[in-house]
Amino acid sequence: MLVLDEEQTRAALPWPELIEAIAAMFAGECVMPVRHHHDMDVPGEESATLLLMPAWVPGLYAGVKAVSVFPGNVRRSLPAISGTYLLSSGATGEMLAVIDGGELTARRTAAASALAARYLARPDAEEMLVCGTGRLSLNLMLAHGTTRPIKRYRIWGRSEQAAQKIAAEARAFGLDAEATADREAAARTADIISCATLSGEPLISGEWLKPGTHLDLVGAFKPSMRESDDEAIRRASVHVDTRAGATSEAGDIVQPLKSGVLRLSDIKSELAELVSGAHGGRSHDEEITLFKSVGAALEDLAGAILAYETVAGRK
């Protein structure tokens, strides 16, 4: 049985291959039950969340991810997200691999956003704003840079010091990146805006979005959380990773549905429909697009299989 730590998991999941693996899984026959979602009290601070996410491809592979999200970890200089992925044979049930769940989650989440941007962002997108300074921030920059010719990156965070740190890490990868304290000004010029936060209130106003902007909402995975306002929903063509997940868990979708700002019929597509060609994605250069993801277990399974087959020498 393979055991892959954080560094080994990262090395086994290069961006181009991971993006293609997720696309293939969305186009395939993966079985994905509704995930378990449990709130856990943490005395003296924000509640934590336990997620259990199973998926399998009949006869081939089966897996489950156990992930915990502790928002209070930001004050302890610890990652908010941690977890473990268990990959088994779909033919015998034999345990094949134990994979670092935090790194798998960060990379597959960013890869899914980049996959969506392949269909929804302008082909000539050159400037990106990232809101958030957690583990996902650098991953989002690197993943989006795989599918679009991005030349300039800006990072905004509630902590200027944290934003400066992420910008320095991005520059170490050769990216033209800088921290910004002016979220609105950066949003007004960005071609792609990615938000990966646990915000309880909107960070991006629809009024700031220039024609052609692609808004990528990755955080705010509870109905009470939100990263965009109603005007962003009104102005944008709305797409989601899965309708079932986004309409039950994502505040950026659940709240507008509840208030009537958004109707179910207004959701143009889910990621599987973009991958299959059932929906054509962006229709013109001036269109504002919005992609909301809450995460899908098949993305984890795709990444886990890729990591296992890469390390085990099966590819």
Side-chain angles (χ1 to χ4, degrees):
M1 181 178 69
L2 287 177
V3 178
L4 303 183
D5 62 19
E6 179 179 326
E7 184 176 342
Q8 292 168 320
T9 300
R10 184 182 307 119
L13 297 174
W15 294 114
E17 290 85 348
L18 179 56
I19 292 168
E20 292 306 323
I22 292 173
M25 192 64 79
F26 268 108
E29 298 181 353
C30 181
V31 179
M32 187 173 59
V34 176
R35 68 184 179 185
H36 298 257
H37 187 293
H38 303 280
D39 290 331
M40 300 187 296
D41 289 335
V42 182
E45 60 185 66
E46 305 95 327
S47 294
T49 304
L50 174 65
L51 300 172
L52 301 174
M53 302 173 66
W56 58 88
V57 178
L60 295 177
Y61 291 101
V64 63
K65 185 177 73 173
V67 169
S68 62
V69 183
F70 279 73
N73 277 359
V74 67
R75 294 185 290 276
R76 292 181 279 268
S77 298
L78 293 173
I81 300 174
S82 60
T84 301
Y85 197 91
L86 304 177
L87 180 69
S88 303
S89 166
T92 67
E94 174 191 6
M95 187 64 65
L96 301 175
V98 179
I99 300 169
D100 183 85
E103 186 64 20
L104 175 62
T105 300
R107 292 184 79 83
R108 66 80 156 150
T109 301
S113 282
L115 176 61
R118 178 188 292 175
Y119 304 98
L120 299 176
R122 285 177 56 130
D124 60 353
E126 294 186 347
E127 184 173 316
M128 180 176 183
L129 167 64
V130 175
C131 294
T133 56
R135 187 177 199 167
L136 266 170
S137 302
L138 179 59
N139 285 299
L140 285 164
M141 287 184 271
L142 294 170
H144 278 284
T146 301
T147 60
R148 287 295 180 264
I150 302 174
K151 297 179 179 178
R152 185 183 186 190
Y153 299 83
R154 292 178 176 177
I155 303 96
W156 175 89
R158 298 188 189 281
S159 164
E160 184 177 350
Q161 182 178 5
Q164 292 285 0
K165 181 176 180 291
I166 295 296
E169 292 176 0
R171 289 193 293 270
F173 277 88
L175 305 184
D176 181 359
E178 62 180 358
T180 180
D182 193 335
R183 185 172 74 244
E184 178 180 346
R188 286 184 179 276
T189 62
D191 300 308
I192 296 175
I193 301 171
S194 280
C195 296
T197 73
L198 301 176
S199 181
E201 58 187 28
L203 298 173
I204 300 298
S205 168
E207 191 269 327
W208 301 346
L209 304 177
K210 69 178 184 181
T213 300
H214 174 56
L215 182 56
D216 173 42
L217 303 177
V218 178
F221 65 93
K222 291 183 179 181
S224 59
M225 298 175 174
R226 197 155 183 193
E227 294 178 314
S228 66
D229 67 358
D230 283 349
E231 186 62 16
I233 295 294
R234 291 190 187 98
R235 295 189 66 198
S237 297
V238 177
H239 304 259
V240 297
D241 56 351
T242 66
R243 285 187 175 85
T247 57
S248 63
E249 298 181 28
D252 287 282
I253 301 299
V254 172
Q255 292 182 36
L257 284 174
K258 186 175 181 180
S259 67
V261 169
L262 181 71
R263 298 169 298 178
L264 282 173
S265 60
D266 293 328
I267 298 175
K268 304 298 184 182
S269 77
E270 57 183 8
L271 195 45
E273 293 166 334
L274 292 172
V275 170
S276 70
H279 189 282
R282 170 176 289 273
S283 60
H284 57 85
D285 284 348
E286 301 297 293
E287 183 181 14
I288 295 172
T289 55
L290 183 155
F291 176 68
K292 175 58 193 172
S293 68
V294 292
L298 66 80
E299 299 164 6
D300 297 298
L301 182 59
I305 294 170
L306 175 62
Y308 170 70
E309 292 187 345
T310 298
V311 175
R314 298 193 177 190
K315 292 195 81 66

